[in-house]
Amino acid sequence: LQWVLLMLSQHAECQEKCYKEIVSIIGDSPHEDHPTREEVEKMPYLAGMIKEALRVRPVSLGFLRETTKVMDVGDYTLKAGAKIVVFNSIFQVSEENFEN
């Protein structure tokens, strides 16, 4: 959540869009209750901002996988039992994978 707030603070136009979307669904008067699931589902821009923040600043740095059989990956042949580490922080911000 902190990354979402930081990103919104750095992009005023996105912050304003999120604010308008939230106000259009739940209003701008103070609430004691949290938004309902149905209300949150009507906020696609806010959901997109959260997903984008998680893409750019993932919760985990990466993950480890182990091959179960011999496999070719690009120009490399991996043996069965090979350990593969994928770093989200590199893959998820690559311009090759994401144009914007």
Side-chain angles (χ1 to χ4, degrees):
L1 187 58
Q2 291 173 340
W3 287 118
V4 175
L5 296 175
L6 176 65
M7 291 174 80
L8 285 172
S9 74
Q10 295 172 337
H11 301 279
E13 70 284 357
C14 297
Q15 183 179 25
E16 183 64 21
K17 259 182 119 165
C18 280
Y19 176 77
K20 286 181 178 180
E21 183 176 74
I22 292 166
V23 168
S24 75
I25 303 298
I26 63 173
D28 62 355
S29 60
H31 282 69
E32 288 193 23
D33 295 331
H34 298 290
T36 65
R37 180 184 186 113
E38 291 76 23
E39 289 171 331
V40 172
E41 288 174 353
K42 294 176 185 175
M43 300 180 199
Y45 191 81
L46 179 61
M49 282 298 302
I50 292 168
K51 289 177 183 177
E52 179 66 2
L54 289 171
R55 180 187 72 82
V56 175
R57 300 286 186 206
V59 175
S60 67
L61 296 176
F63 54 90
L64 176 69
R65 294 291 186 260
E66 184 175 336
T67 60
T68 57
K69 60 184 179 182
V70 175
M71 59 187 302
D72 292 324
V73 178
D75 295 335
Y76 300 94
T77 299
L78 304 175
K79 299 177 187 176
K83 308 279 192 282
I84 303 169
V85 178
V86 177
F87 291 100
N88 298 339
S89 55
I90 296 170
F91 174 76
Q92 290 181 205
V93 295
S94 169
E95 290 182 12
E96 186 178 312
N97 298 310
F98 296 95
E99 294 176 12
N100 297 324

